[in-house]
């Protein structure tokens, strides 16, 4: 499929990275296959995660087709961009159609990006994951790539104002080795392990900071508190 929209969007994102002087560290990008289908399953801490998860696949010269809620495709600004980049709309009332579209993309040799938690984690830990990523990888017979993103929440996350003028923020992108698409629990465990490693190696201390999880000394909600906040909404 022709990609006339995706390359200019990537160029605009790279310009944003330079203007903000983001300190981006990419690890494990060699695990993204240079050809053929793959499912890239990333944790979700920011509204900008699709940009950075996609950036993790660029060294392999792959363009990731992300699954995203259909409301984003209906917006007058983001809609044309999402459709032009051939992302996949997800209508939670008609999920099978989205699943089949993603499956077709994988069988056609595309990399499909999924945030298995479905929504942003307020606790900055990995929530329970939905079954789509594991099912798709198993049915399509493609690699399942657990991925961790860290630092992106400092730019724009749920319940906090946007900080898109903040400069020099470190951002970590870790693509793990492919795992067998067996169970959702196995995927969640591996994603949390990668996230733990990214948090431990992060170049700035977040103790006492809102963007650090509670178990590492930050003031983010605990997973239990985050679940209660999500339930109220």
């Amino acid at each position: 499929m022709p990609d006339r929209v995706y390359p200019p969007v990537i160029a605009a994102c790279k310009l944003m990275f330079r203007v903000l002087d983001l300190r981006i560290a990419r690890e494990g990008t060699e695990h993204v296959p240079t050809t053929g289908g793959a499912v890239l399953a990333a944790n979700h801490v920011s509204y900008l995660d699709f940009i950075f998860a996609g950036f993790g696949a660029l060294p392999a010269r792959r363009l990731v087709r992300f699954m995203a809620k259909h409301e984003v495709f209906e917006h007058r600004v983001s809609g044309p961009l999402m459709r032009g980049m051939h992302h996949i709309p997800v209508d939670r009332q008609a999920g099978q159609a989205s699943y089949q579209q993603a499956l077709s993309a994988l069988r056609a040799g595309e990399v499909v990006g999924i945030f298995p938690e479905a929504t942003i984690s307020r606790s900055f830990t990995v929530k329970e994951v939905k079954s789509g990523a594991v099912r798709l990888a198993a049915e399509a017979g493609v690699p399942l790539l657990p991925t961790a993103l860290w630092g992106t929440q400092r730019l724009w996350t749920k319940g906090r104002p946007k900080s898109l003028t903040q400069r020099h923020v470190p951002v970590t992108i870790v693509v793990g080795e492919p795992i067998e698409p067996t169970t959702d629990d196995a995927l969640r465990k591996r994603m949390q392990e990668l996230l733990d490693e990214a948090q431990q190696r992060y170049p700035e201390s977040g103790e006492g900071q809102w963007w650090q999880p509670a178990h590492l000394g930050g003031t983010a909600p605990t997973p239990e508190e985050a679940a209660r906040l999500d339930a109220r909404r």
Side-chain angles (χ1 to χ4, degrees), residues 178-196:
I179 63 172
E180 286 294 322
T182 52
T183 67
D184 298 329
D185 285 342
L187 172 60
R188 180 187 177 280
K189 179 182 178 182
R190 186 58 184 141
M191 289 170 61
Q192 184 63 61
E193 289 171 348
L194 292 172
L195 181 58
D196 289 341

Side-chain angles (χ1 to χ4, degrees), residues 96-217:
Q96 188 59 29
S98 305
Y99 181 90
Q100 290 300 324
Q101 186 176 347
L103 186 60
S104 296
L106 291 168
R107 287 172 171 166
E110 298 282 358
V111 178
V112 172
I114 300 178
F115 297 102
E117 298 163 278
T119 59
I120 289 174
S121 170
R122 297 174 187 264
S123 67
F124 307 139
T125 61
V126 181
K127 301 163 58 175
E128 288 188 15
V129 302
K130 309 296 182 183
S131 62
V134 169
R135 288 173 54 214
L136 280 168
E139 188 167 351
V142 300
L144 176 61
L145 304 172
T147 300
L149 305 172
W150 189 241
T152 60
Q153 76 279 13
R154 296 177 63 180
L155 300 171
W156 189 14
T157 192
K158 186 179 288 186
R160 302 285 305 188
K162 282 184 279 189
S163 299
L164 297 182
T165 58
Q166 186 177 182
R167 304 183 74 237
H168 317 304
V169 173
V171 171
T172 303
I173 305 161
V174 183
V175 182
E177 294 182 4
I179 63 172
E180 286 294 322
T182 52
T183 67
D184 298 329
D185 285 342
L187 172 60
R188 180 187 177 280
K189 179 182 178 182
R190 186 58 184 141
M191 289 170 61
Q192 184 63 61
E193 289 171 348
L194 292 172
L195 181 58
D196 289 341
E197 294 169 9
Q199 290 168 339
Q200 290 164 8
R201 293 196 299 268
Y202 196 65
E204 292 186 6
S205 172
E207 188 170 349
Q209 298 291 329
W210 66 264
W211 49 264
Q212 186 79 313
H215 73 276
L216 293 179

